[in-house]
Amino acid sequence: MNRKYNLHLMLPLALFLMAADQLTKWIIVKTMNIGDSVSVIGDILEITSHRNYGAAWGMLQNQMVFFYIITLVVLMAIIYFYRTEAPFKPVMQLGLTLIFAGAVGNFIDRLFRGNVVDFIDTKIINYDFPIFNVADACLTLGVIVLIYEILMNDSKEKKHANI
């Protein structure tokens, strides 16, 4: 049975992810000084206490009012698209839920801390990836899920149009 909206799954998932994001950030703030690092898997994965006063990769440093406004607009857009584009599309609902949870997680940091707590530090094939957090991971996965959904639906619609 395909439900119009899967809020019974998506709402608990969003709440869990937001709680996990805030809990992990709280642990980092309470147990580590900024710049402290603990190896988890050699130099491939480390927990490094870092603060970001901007957006991804440190862009737009100290533009908090801008981030407040943009985040609220994005959250309203996610709710709008959930209601208008995602009915009967559980994969799209998942992508939007992940993005919503990630946006709220980082918004809470900016609102109450004035910065975003980042701590997941990875080095893959000698590339030192920017330090990130659970909310950032949710945002990234959400975008990947939405791209997949859009590409798969577009492919299905083209296939049905040719029949």
Coordinates of all heavy atoms in Angstrom, one line a residue, residues 6 38 41 84 92 110 131 135 139 141 157 162:
N6 N 4.1 9.7 4.2 CA 4.6 8.7 5.2 C 5.1 9.4 6.5 O 6.2 9.1 6.9 CB 5.7 7.9 4.5 CG 5.2 7.0 3.4 OD1 4.5 6.1 3.7 ND2 5.5 7.4 2.2
V38 N 40.9 13.2 17.8 CA 41.1 11.9 18.2 C 41.0 11.0 17.0 O 40.0 11.0 16.3 CB 40.0 11.5 19.3 CG1 40.1 10.0 19.7 CG2 40.0 12.4 20.5
I41 N 40.1 5.8 12.9 CA 40.6 4.9 12.0 C 41.9 5.5 11.4 O 41.8 6.2 10.3 CB 39.6 4.5 10.9 CG1 38.4 3.9 11.4 CG2 40.3 3.5 9.9 CD1 37.3 3.6 10.4
T84 N 3.3 19.3 -2.1 CA 2.9 19.4 -3.5 C 3.5 18.4 -4.5 O 2.9 18.0 -5.4 CB 3.2 20.8 -4.1 OG1 4.6 21.1 -4.0 CG2 2.4 21.9 -3.3
M92 N 11.1 10.5 -2.5 CA 11.2 11.9 -2.5 C 11.0 12.5 -1.0 O 11.6 13.4 -0.6 CB 10.2 12.6 -3.4 CG 10.4 14.1 -3.5 SD 9.3 14.9 -4.7 CE 10.2 14.5 -6.2
R110 N 23.4 27.6 14.8 CA 23.6 29.0 14.5 C 22.8 29.9 15.4 O 23.3 30.9 15.9 CB 23.2 29.3 13.0 CG 24.2 28.7 12.0 CD 23.9 29.2 10.6 NE 24.9 28.7 9.7 CZ 24.7 27.6 8.9 NH1 23.6 27.0 8.9 NH2 25.7 27.2 8.1
I131 N 35.8 19.3 7.4 CA 35.2 18.7 8.6 C 33.7 18.9 8.5 O 33.2 20.0 8.2 CB 35.8 19.3 9.8 CG1 37.3 19.0 9.8 CG2 35.2 18.7 11.1 CD1 38.1 19.7 10.9
A135 N 24.3 16.7 10.7 CA 23.4 17.5 9.9 C 23.9 17.7 8.5 O 23.1 17.5 7.5 CB 23.2 18.9 10.5
L139 N 22.1 16.5 5.0 CA 21.9 17.4 3.8 C 22.4 16.7 2.6 O 21.7 16.7 1.5 CB 22.5 18.7 4.1 CG 21.9 19.6 5.1 CD1 22.8 20.7 5.6 CD2 20.6 20.2 4.6
L141 N 23.1 13.5 1.9 CA 22.4 12.3 1.6 C 21.0 12.6 1.0 O 20.5 12.0 0.1 CB 22.2 11.3 2.8 CG 23.5 10.6 3.2 CD1 23.3 9.9 4.5 CD2 24.0 9.7 2.1
E157 N 9.0 8.4 -16.6 CA 8.0 9.2 -17.4 C 8.3 9.2 -18.9 O 7.4 9.1 -19.7 CB 8.0 10.7 -16.9 CG 7.3 10.8 -15.5 CD 7.5 12.2 -14.9 OE1 7.9 13.1 -15.6 OE2 7.2 12.4 -13.7
N162 N 6.7 7.0 -24.3 CA 7.1 6.3 -25.5 C 6.2 5.1 -25.8 O 6.3 4.5 -26.9 CB 8.5 5.9 -25.6 CG 9.5 7.1 -25.7 OD1 9.1 8.1 -26.2 ND2 10.7 7.0 -25.1

